[in-house]
Amino acid sequence: MRKLASLGLMFLLLILGACSNNTNSDALEGAPEYIKETWKYFNAMSKVTDAVGDGENVEVAYDKYFPNEDEVISYIDSATAESEEEQLVIDNIHLMHLSVSTMYIADFNSSLGGDPADIDQFVYELQVPRHELGKIYKKYGLEYKK
């Protein structure tokens, strides 16, 4: 009987933990400013990458998920790092932005009759900065959701 009660208690604790309401917005509250600011850029560029990887037209995905490109450019131009981690975030946001923008330009060039764009290669190469940023954001309780 004790084993059954113990199992029941462990099951309830497991359910309670699974039902925890820890959202990304909760995690952002305690994060450093550079994490708060870059999180939205990371999400936007990740959504473009995922949509294109899933077969959506590059221009459509870019326009739909990345309306804040000017903000990203402004952030990159003015960002100064106070820590090694912050510099890593800035560098990877910059790398993601360059890759997403280059993918857009290459696809546009291709649509005008230029060299074919290897969109799959762009999507593949974007996984490195996404992974690096994902590890950093995870330390602050943030997790990208498709």
Side-chain angles (χ1 to χ4, degrees):
M1 186 66 176
R2 268 188 153 182
K3 270 188 173 178
L4 188 57
S6 296
L7 286 173
L9 182 58
M10 288 186 352
F11 179 75
L12 288 173
L13 288 173
L14 180 66
I15 296 290
L16 181 62
C19 294
S20 174
N21 208 10
N22 187 14
T23 63
N24 284 333
S25 59
D26 294 338
L28 277 173
E29 289 178 18
E33 197 58 40
Y34 66 94
I35 295 294
K36 291 177 185 176
E37 185 156 8
T38 59
W39 176 245
K40 61 186 172 191
Y41 307 144
F42 171 75
N43 272 299
M45 292 184 286
S46 291
K47 286 185 188 307
V48 171
T49 305
D50 288 340
V52 170
D54 291 341
E56 190 165 341
N57 178 282
V58 174
E59 184 178 356
V60 171
Y62 193 86
D63 291 343
K64 185 191 293 184
Y65 298 113
F66 199 35
N68 58 347
E69 182 183 17
D70 291 340
E71 289 177 40
V72 176
I73 293 169
S74 178
Y75 172 78
I76 292 167
D77 287 346
S78 65
T80 55
E82 295 178 13
S83 70
E84 190 175 311
E85 180 181 79
E86 186 173 4
Q87 187 61 56
L88 190 58
V89 169
I90 293 166
D91 290 346
N92 279 291
I93 288 292
H94 192 187
L95 183 57
M96 277 187 80
H97 174 258
L98 287 174
S99 296
V100 168
S101 296
T102 303
M103 176 176 63
Y104 178 78
I105 292 167
D107 182 67
F108 180 74
N109 183 48
S110 178
S111 72
L112 295 177
D115 293 336
D118 188 353
I119 300 303
D120 291 336
Q121 185 64 31
F122 281 107
V123 170
Y124 176 77
E125 289 171 0
L126 275 157
Q127 300 314 310
V128 173
R130 286 180 69 184
H131 177 72
E132 291 300 316
L133 287 166
K135 288 190 306 189
I136 293 169
Y137 292 131
K138 190 172 188 166
K139 287 184 356 187
Y140 295 99
L142 299 165
E143 193 170 333
Y144 170 71
K145 294 174 183 132
K146 234 179 170 179

